[in-house]
């Protein structure tokens, strides 16, 4: 809320603000500053009086002039970036009228007057002439900085204290300058080498933005001094190969092999991916002799969706290193200008960057701002001035910097990293550059931007400009500069020759995927996992979950719920779904397996079922029984998430990748809303193992079930997950008992392979007295992919197969159908489908009428997936009982829902 404006009733406040304004105009908001500026002007008799007084103004108006100079300083800090020389291709912008001296009623005559410069340059006084020159150098040079939107004065002052004394000008040693130049050469040589030796192959060249390489190198080099041990990176296509070769030091020979047209990856499983999507990890040595581990996340084409995954991976790495201060592992996200402004997941990820469950200590964002997205110009790509404006939502400082000035870029990189370490907040480097070629190497940019590309063709390479500058300033002699240029070519030729020779010799003695960091795991197996637990462990878990301290005052309804749950031990009271889930968590925790659960309102549970965090009705204090089961236990982490699907699921997926020994679960509020995270599901969860050999045991809990709540609260879109299934990539379950969720969750952590688990989780079943289990089922049972009808003999005339909640409706219907001769069999795990077990079922009910019953519409649910498989296994076509095909997943009116539900149940016993 902005400060209330002046009224006759707040004179004391105005007084106080006036003093503050005199002291530091920047400490007030724009409205108040304008007020005092106007007030000063008016009290001087207006502009005319000021002009009249101008010749001897310093004598009669010193305070007023000083305040105008204060305002000038403030405006340089605030909008100096508008005059900064950022674009390598364009002339510097014209002078910004709002920075003209006249705007402040100052003029030529004032230039040699001394003024107090306040906090600027740590106090003191300067002639106006020098002050303006310094301000212009600092804020309107090759760096344009936006930081006045940051409300925290300490942060602003810190930035000023770093930028203003050095006028935002770099001062590197000779050795550092040579390193910058050699990184540029390295990048450029590698790019050109690929260009000429692998003609026409897509590599998404970095040319025009090669300064990214010295920028990243600066981050790596500077990391040890700031206590950083690991950088976790995420980036899209542009320049990725060069980053892997030059910064990650990925083996050239291996990269060239990937480029070969005859390259067949030695993958033992999966389909692989294009080379500019592959992840990589390496430990690199810095010139100071320290080691920094670099981790590049594998990423799909879908721009920016890797951002939350990198954040989750980072948090997992921080946990593994015990980095509670979050200063040892730093996430670095590299963006394209069009994608950064356009993709909503960027805002979602910013939004949770400071939240307890998702905080990673601040991300360094780098925008390779080549001022184009495919063929789209900035004016078509965004409504904001800068592509980075979105970062202002979390008050991140933003450094716009000219990519043709590598020293400035490296200076900014160091400052950004230091800022992140100092304040634990995000920071953005917006590196202006250009794209020397088309979007990719086969693309013709002159179709859409002929003028721009004529200018680019005439523009010298960055290394050439920088090399010239170093020679001109005497840092480098021309012969040295020439020698540096060719340093890397020989190494590249050598690596290529090696690859060609190896190919000729068919050197298949080479170990699988030498040079890659892909990992492999045992294949999927239906072998039962040891998921039942000893009675003593279960008792300890129940006691831990149902014991509250005397000083805690639970809500009376919760108290009753807990007392009922406690009766599981004393009276063999049945266990409901939510308690089955809690017991899975509790037993894992007591076995030292940590658990992380995140999603919207997961602490209580959307349906008021979970209550894994309780609130004291008198003090509002929180208490989680799962965190207090009794030592020793592993950590239980539960977080109500921000209202996002894509970025939160992305985060939790990323976490599960890098912390496989933790059970990681994400829950959708209603299963329908997971479609907001479809790109994470399609491009990571379903396909990462096949593409990149990266494994995840993430659990997605997706509330699903037709209960008359309308189109967006009924279906978790089971059909979509089933359509994604192949090559044992996912497990898709629709479970009907608490014991089944207990074993399914524990199974995730008790096998020697990891697979994502998608659960159509219940809503009405949460309170269905029939959907309960006994303690014995937890101490002796195991997960069942298929549940045969416990009462059936095999002589029934009809076998109805189904999955999920409709089972209970069918049971009820059967009990009310006098002469029903039907077995009801539940498929609890639809994928991987346990065909061997299903074949046994088929044999048992060899002559029964075969029916598939589902509550979803015919074009939804499991029908299309299961029908051909049933036909193959049973040797006859299944009959369909369910809703007709429909455009919307469910009807809106409850009465209509009930009619439909009754009809499909009737159909199941009559079709
Ligand atoms: C979500 C998504 N939409 C569209 C594309 C197709 N695409 C690939 S690169 C690109 C342009 C990206 O521009 P920018 O972010 O500026 O990166 P640059 O290629 O300029 O480095 C587009 C539209 C994509 N990969 N992902
Ligand atoms: Mg771009």
């Amino acid at each position: 809320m902005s400060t209330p404006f002046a009224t006759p009733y707040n004179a004391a406040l105005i007084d106080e603000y006036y003093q503050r304004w005199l002291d530091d105009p920047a400490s007030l908001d724009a409205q108040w500053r304008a007020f005092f500026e106007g007030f000063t002007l008016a009290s001087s008799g207006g502009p005319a009086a000021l002009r009249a007084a101008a010749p001897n103004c310093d004598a009669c108006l010193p305070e007023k002039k000083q305040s105008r100079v204060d305002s000038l300083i403030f405006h340089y800090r605030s909008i100096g970036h508008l005059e900064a020389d950022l674009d390598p291709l364009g002339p510097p912008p014209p002078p910004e009228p709002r920075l003209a001296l006249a705007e402040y009623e100052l003029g030529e005559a004032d230039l040699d007057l001394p003024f107090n410069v306040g906090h600027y340059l740590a106090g003191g006084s300067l002639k106006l002439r020098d002050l303006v020159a310094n301000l212009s150098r600092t804020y309107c040079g090759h760096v344009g900085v936006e930081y006045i939107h940051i409300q925290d004065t300490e942060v602003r002052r810190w930035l000023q204290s770093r930028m203003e004394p050095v006028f935002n000008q770099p001062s590197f040693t000779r050795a550092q300058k040579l390193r910058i130049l050699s990184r540029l050469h390295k990048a450029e040589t590698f790019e050109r080498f690929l260009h000429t030796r692998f003609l026409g192959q897509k590599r998404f060249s970095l040319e025009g933005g090669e300064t990214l390489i010295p920028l990243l190198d600066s981050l790596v080099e500077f990391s040890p001094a700031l206590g950083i041990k690991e950088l976790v990176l995420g980036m899209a296509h542009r320049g990725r190969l060069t980053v892997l070769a030059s910064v990650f030091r990925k083996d050239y020979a291996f990269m060239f092999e990937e480029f070969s047209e005859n390259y067949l990856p030695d993958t033992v499983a999966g389909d692989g991916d294009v080379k500019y999507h592959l992840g990589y990890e390496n430990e690199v040595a810095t010139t100071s002799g320290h080691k920094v581990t670099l981790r590049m996340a594998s990423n799909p084409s879908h721009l920016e969706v890797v951002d939350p995954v990198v954040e989750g991976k980072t948090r997992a790495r921080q946990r593994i290193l015990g980095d509670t201060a979050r200063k040892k592992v730093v996430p670095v996200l590299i963006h394209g200008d069009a994608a950064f402004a356009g993709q909503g997941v960027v805002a979602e990820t910013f939004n949770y960057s400071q939240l307890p469950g998702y905080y990673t200590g601040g991300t360094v964002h780098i925008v390779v701002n080549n001022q184009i997205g495919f063929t789209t110009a900035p004016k078509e790509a965004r409504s904001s001035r800068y592509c980075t404006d979105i970062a202002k939502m979390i008050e991140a400082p933003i450094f716009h910097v000219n990519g043709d000035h590598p020293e400035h870029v490296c200076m900014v990189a160091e400052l950004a990293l230091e800022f992140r370490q100092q304040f634990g907040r995000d920071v953005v480097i917006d590196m202006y550059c250009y794209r020397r070629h088309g979007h990719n190497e086969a693309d013709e940019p002159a179709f859409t931007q002929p003028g721009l590309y004529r200018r680019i063709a005439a523009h010298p390479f960055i290394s050439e400009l920088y090399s010239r500058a170093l020679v001109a300033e005497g840092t480098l002699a021309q012969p040295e500069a020439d020698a540096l240029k060719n340093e890397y070519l020989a190494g590249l030729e050598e690596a290529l020759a090696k690859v060609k020779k190896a190919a000729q010799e068919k050197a298949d003695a080479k170990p699988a995927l030498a040079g890659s960091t892909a990992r492999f795991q045992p294949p999927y197996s239906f072998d039962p996992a040891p998921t039942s637990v000893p009675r003593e462990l279960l008792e300890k878990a129940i006691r831990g979950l149902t014991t509250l301290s005397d000083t805690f005052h639970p809500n009376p309804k919760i108290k009753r719920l807990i007392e009922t749950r406690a009766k599981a031990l004393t009276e063999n009271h049945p266990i409901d779904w939510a308690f089955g889930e809690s017991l899975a968590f509790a037993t894992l925790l007591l076995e030292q397996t940590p658990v992380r659960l995140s999603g919207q309102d997961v602490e209580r549970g959307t349906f008021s079922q979970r209550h894994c965090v309780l609130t004291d009705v008198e003090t509002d204090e929180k208490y989680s029984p799962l965190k207090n089961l009794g030592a020793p236990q592993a950590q239980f982490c539960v977080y109500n998430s921000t209202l996002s699907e894509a970025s939160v699921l992305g985060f939790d997926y990323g976490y599960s990748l890098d912390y496989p020994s933790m059970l990681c679960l994400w829950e959708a509020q209603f299963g329908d809303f997971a479609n907001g995270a479809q790109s994470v599901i399609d491009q990571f969860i379903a396909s990462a193992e096949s593409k990149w050999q990266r494994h995840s045991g993430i659990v997605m809990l997706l509330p699903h079930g037709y209960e008359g709540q309308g189109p967006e609260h009924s279906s978790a879109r089971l059909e979509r997950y089933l359509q994604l299934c192949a090559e044992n990539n996912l497990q898709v379950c629709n479970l009907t008992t608490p014991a089944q969720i207990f074993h399914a969750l524990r199974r995730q952590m008790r096998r020697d392979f990891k697979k994502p688990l998608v659960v159509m989780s219940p809503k009405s079943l949460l309170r269905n007295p029939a959907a309960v289990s006994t303690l014995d089922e937890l101490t002796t049972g195991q997960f069942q992919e298929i549940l045969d009808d416990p009462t059936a003999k095999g002589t029934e005339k009809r076998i109805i197969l189904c999955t999920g909640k409709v089972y209970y409706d069918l049971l009820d219907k059967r009990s009310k159908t006098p002469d029903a001769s039907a077995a009801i069999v539940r498929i609890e795990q639809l994928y991987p489908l346990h065909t061997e077990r299903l074949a046994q079922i088929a044999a048992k009910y060899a002559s029964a009428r075969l029916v598939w019953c589902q509550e979803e519409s015919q074009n939804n649910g499991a029908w299309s997936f299961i029908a051909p498989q049933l036909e193959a296994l049973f040797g006859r076509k299944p009959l369909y009982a369910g809703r007709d095909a429909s455009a919307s997943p469910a009807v809106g009116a409850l009465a209509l829902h009930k009619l439909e539900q009754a009809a499909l149940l009737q159909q199941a016993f009559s079709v």
Side-chain angles (χ1 to χ4, degrees):
M1 211 175 75
S2 74
T3 318
F5 203 57
T7 72
Y9 307 107
N10 60 2
L13 186 75
I14 294 174
D15 239 12
E16 186 199 319
Y17 278 18
Y18 184 60
Q19 286 309 317
R20 272 174 59 185
W21 180 69
L22 289 176
D23 179 42
D24 178 12
S27 68
L28 295 185
D29 70 20
Q31 203 178 18
W32 277 107
R33 286 196 308 273
F35 173 74
F36 288 125
E37 280 156 18
F39 171 75
T40 310
L41 193 65
S43 58
S44 71
L50 271 182
R51 271 191 294 277
N56 53 7
C57 194
D58 56 315
C60 63
L61 287 171
E63 266 198 10
K64 287 160 196 163
K65 282 220 165 178
Q66 176 66 48
S67 75
R68 289 181 218 138
V69 170
D70 291 342
S71 179
L72 179 72
I73 295 174
F74 172 80
H75 280 92
Y76 264 98
R77 286 170 174 161
S78 170
I79 58 166
H81 56 89
L82 297 176
E83 222 180 89
D85 172 26
L86 301 175
D87 183 359
L89 298 177
E96 166 59 39
R98 281 177 292 165
L99 293 177
L101 286 183
E103 185 76 6
Y104 306 86
E105 303 283 346
L106 297 166
E108 283 285 315
D110 302 311
L111 285 173
D112 289 312
L113 297 180
F115 287 95
N116 177 357
V117 292
H119 289 290
Y120 185 73
L121 287 175
S125 105
L126 270 184
K127 280 187 188 167
L128 181 60
R129 180 188 305 284
D130 296 333
L131 175 65
V132 170
N134 289 350
L135 283 168
S136 172
R137 254 188 109 197
T138 309
Y139 291 110
C140 313
H142 302 310
V143 179
V145 53
E146 290 184 277
Y147 70 106
I148 295 299
H149 57 280
I150 300 171
Q151 299 299 309
D152 187 333
T153 311
E154 189 203 344
V155 176
R156 284 160 38 155
R157 295 250 164 94
W158 186 92
L159 286 165
Q160 282 160 12
S161 77
R162 289 293 186 285
M163 298 185 295
E164 293 182 350
V166 297
F167 312 121
N168 258 336
Q169 299 301 321
S171 64
F172 288 111
T173 62
R174 180 174 189 275
Q176 287 169 322
K177 290 180 182 186
L178 294 192
R179 187 174 172 91
I180 293 173
L181 180 60
S182 77
R183 297 302 105 173
L184 286 171
H185 281 315
K186 199 172 178 181
E188 218 171 77
T189 311
F190 184 71
E191 291 281 351
R192 298 249 197 109
F193 191 80
L194 293 183
H195 194 62
T196 50
R197 298 308 161 99
F198 301 97
L199 211 62
Q201 278 218 43
K202 274 196 207 174
R203 68 194 147 94
F204 292 103
S205 110
L206 183 59
E207 284 165 271
E210 297 95 315
T211 312
L212 175 67
I213 301 304
L215 189 169
L216 291 174
D217 186 61
S218 299
L219 293 183
V220 177
E221 282 287 307
F222 197 36
S223 282
L226 298 174
I228 299 166
K229 306 230 172 304
E230 293 192 8
L231 300 177
V232 184
L233 286 91
M235 72 182 292
H237 50 289
R238 174 98 36 234
R240 190 176 171 106
L241 297 174
T242 307
V243 168
L244 291 180
S246 306
V247 183
F248 280 67
R249 300 173 209 174
K250 186 172 175 180
D251 185 36
Y252 285 145
F254 182 65
M255 298 186 79
F256 294 155
E257 203 177 349
E258 290 173 327
F259 257 95
S260 154
E261 287 194 347
N262 300 322
Y263 174 62
L264 274 176
D266 298 319
T267 48
V268 291
D271 298 336
D273 199 354
V274 291
K275 46 200 166 287
Y276 44 84
H277 286 168
L278 303 178
Y280 195 68
E281 283 130 42
N282 206 4
E283 191 183 63
V284 300
T286 63
T287 46
S288 62
H290 293 88
K291 299 258 165 76
V292 179
T293 301
L294 305 178
R295 297 174 190 278
M296 175 69 79
S298 307
N299 82 294
S301 273
H302 198 121
L303 293 164
E304 301 292 348
V305 71
V306 79
D307 300 358
V309 177
V310 167
E311 299 298 335
K313 280 168 71 71
T314 302
R315 177 116 167 176
R317 290 300 307 163
Q318 289 172 341
R319 186 186 172 97
I320 288 167
L321 296 193
D323 182 16
T324 46
R326 311 201 185 280
K327 289 192 188 292
K328 289 187 194 150
V329 188
V330 177
V332 178
L333 288 174
I334 302 168
H335 312 269
D337 52 315
F340 196 50
Q343 292 290 306
V345 73
V346 173
E348 289 188 21
T349 308
F350 273 130
N351 184 47
Y352 65 49
S353 63
Q354 298 293 309
L355 301 184
Y358 309 88
Y359 178 59
T360 52
T363 301
V364 177
H365 298 268
I366 301 163
V367 183
V368 179
N369 183 354
N370 56 17
Q371 309 181 76
I372 195 159
F374 209 146
T375 66
T376 305
K379 64 177 185 309
E380 301 163 311
R382 58 179 188 259
S383 295
S384 55
R385 175 187 291 275
Y386 294 113
C387 64
T388 52
D389 283 357
I390 187 73
K392 288 186 185 166
M393 70 184 267
I394 53 151
E395 299 185 21
I398 300 162
F399 298 97
H400 308 284
V401 57
N402 189 322
D404 261 5
H405 293 268
E407 285 185 25
H408 288 78
V409 173
C410 294
M411 173 194 73
V412 159
E414 291 187 357
L415 177 56
L417 197 59
E418 200 187 346
F419 174 87
R420 186 272 177 201
Q421 290 297 86
Q422 176 76 19
F423 293 106
R425 294 165 61 144
D426 288 42
V427 53
V428 180
I429 303 168
D430 176 19
M431 188 185 82
Y432 273 67
C433 52
Y434 54 93
R435 193 184 68 193
R436 186 164 286 279
H437 304 286
H439 174 59
N440 61 52
E441 292 58 44
D443 208 54
E444 175 49 88
F447 286 153
T448 48
Q449 277 88 6
L452 174 65
Y453 275 81
R454 271 195 298 277
R455 273 191 285 146
I456 290 175
H459 193 74
F461 280 79
I462 304 167
S463 66
E464 199 180 313
L465 289 172
Y466 187 49
S467 189
R468 266 192 240 154
L470 291 187
V471 171
E473 71 179 27
T475 301
L476 201 57
Q478 192 60 52
E480 282 178 289
D482 296 339
L484 263 180
K485 192 170 172 180
N486 297 319
E487 200 178 306
Y488 296 106
L489 201 55
L492 291 170
E493 296 285 12
E494 208 175 287
L496 186 59
K498 203 165 101 191
V499 171
K500 283 187 176 160
K501 189 157 168 265
Q504 273 164 11
E505 289 168 2
K506 297 205 169 19
D508 29 31
K510 179 170 57 67
L513 279 171
S516 112
T517 50
R519 300 179 200 97
F520 300 98
Q521 63 173 350
Y524 188 86
S525 159
F526 289 111
D527 290 349
T531 54
S532 61
V533 292
R535 176 86 190 186
E536 309 81 71
L537 182 75
L538 200 59
E539 287 184 6
K540 188 172 179 191
I542 295 175
R543 275 196 301 275
L545 288 172
T546 56
T547 312
L548 297 178
S549 88
D550 294 341
T551 53
F552 186 81
H553 311 98
N555 176 293
K557 285 187 187 158
I558 304 286
K559 189 159 179 276
R560 272 201 301 284
L561 176 83
I562 289 178
E563 284 163 0
T564 309
R565 284 179 175 179
K567 287 187 199 157
L569 273 186
T570 54
E571 299 171 22
N572 220 6
H573 193 274
I575 292 165
D576 66 10
W577 182 283
F579 198 34
E581 179 198 86
S582 291
L583 286 171
F585 295 161
T587 50
L588 286 171
L589 294 168
L590 289 169
E591 290 170 339
Q592 309 313 317
T593 298
V595 175
R596 175 186 165 95
L597 169 64
S598 113
Q600 289 152 34
D601 309 291
V602 293
E603 293 186 352
R604 191 202 71 174
T606 299
F607 312 101
S608 259
Q609 83 282 17
R610 183 171 289 121
H611 298 293
C612 70
V613 177
L614 310 177
T615 309
D616 188 307
V617 289
E618 290 180 14
T619 63
D620 270 2
E621 265 170 40
K622 303 282 181 191
Y623 176 79
S624 174
L626 280 163
K627 293 181 182 178
N628 294 279
L629 296 167
Q633 73 159 95
Q635 211 174 341
F636 178 61
C637 306
V638 57
Y639 300 104
N640 286 344
S641 79
T642 165
L643 212 168
S644 138
E645 283 73 30
S647 72
V648 179
L649 179 59
F651 186 101
D652 291 316
Y653 166 76
Y655 201 111
S656 73
L657 280 182
D658 279 47
Y659 203 89
S661 53
M662 187 166 196
L663 176 64
C664 294
L665 306 100
W666 173 79
E667 182 172 68
Q669 186 117 78
F670 283 84
D672 318 50
F673 304 130
N675 58 10
Q678 200 62 50
S679 53
V680 176
I681 295 163
D682 293 346
Q683 288 155 359
F684 288 97
I685 294 178
S687 55
E689 182 173 1
S690 174
K691 293 191 291 190
W692 314 313
Q693 285 77 46
R694 295 295 192 269
H695 316 122
S696 161
I698 182 93
V699 178
M700 294 173 64
L701 299 175
L702 308 175
H704 172 81
Y706 281 59
E707 285 121 359
Q709 291 190 59
E712 270 81 51
H713 296 89
S714 298
S715 175
R717 296 295 197 168
L718 175 62
E719 62 280 0
R720 294 205 177 136
Y721 296 92
L722 294 175
Q723 201 181 35
L724 289 172
C725 289
E727 301 175 300
N728 293 336
N729 59 341
L730 298 174
Q731 304 164 104
V732 180
C733 292
N734 195 4
L735 308 173
T736 54
T737 73
Q740 284 285 76
I741 187 71
F742 176 86
H743 291 295
L745 293 179
R746 288 180 50 79
R747 189 177 66 148
Q748 280 303 86
M749 306 310 292
R750 296 290 176 262
R751 290 180 298 189
D752 57 1
F753 57 86
K754 295 278 173 212
K755 293 284 171 185
L757 169 63
V758 179
V759 181
M760 300 289 118
S761 57
K763 295 179 290 165
S764 61
L765 281 201
L766 294 168
R767 292 184 171 77
N768 185 334
V772 291
S773 299
T774 62
L775 284 191
D776 283 352
E777 290 175 80
L778 313 188
T779 54
T780 59
Q782 64 185 44
F783 181 74
Q784 309 277 342
E785 284 84 0
I786 295 169
L787 287 171
D788 191 4
D789 189 329
T791 61
K793 298 186 179 58
T795 51
E796 288 74 12
K797 293 200 188 115
R798 171 180 297 263
I799 171 174
I800 305 172
L801 287 132
C802 66
T803 184
K805 176 214 136 203
V806 75
Y807 167 72
Y808 292 99
D809 299 337
L810 287 165
L811 273 190
D812 182 53
K813 179 74 182 169
R814 185 173 65 180
S815 71
K816 292 170 183 157
T817 309
D819 53 352
S821 169
I824 307 173
V825 174
R826 285 164 278 176
I827 300 190
E828 299 274 304
Q829 177 169 302
L830 289 144
Y831 192 84
L833 189 65
H834 201 324
T835 46
E836 216 174 287
R837 179 88 186 91
L838 204 52
Q840 291 166 358
I841 301 274
K844 180 174 169 186
Y845 302 98
S847 52
R849 203 167 168 79
L850 178 63
V851 178
W852 172 260
C853 178
Q854 66 176 34
E855 51 183 1
E856 298 86 354
S857 305
Q858 194 165 5
N859 53 329
N860 298 158
W863 171 245
S864 317
F865 170 84
I866 204 81
Q869 306 201 59
L870 292 182
E871 185 177 351
L873 285 163
F874 282 74
R876 53 196 186 274
K877 275 190 192 298
L879 301 161
Y880 175 76
R883 287 182 164 81
D884 291 343
S886 64
S888 166
V891 293
L894 184 61
L896 196 51
H897 159 79
K898 285 182 179 165
L899 284 176
E900 284 185 354
Q901 195 75 4
L904 73 90
L905 293 172
Q906 178 65 30
Q907 219 181 351
F909 290 90
S910 59
V911 65

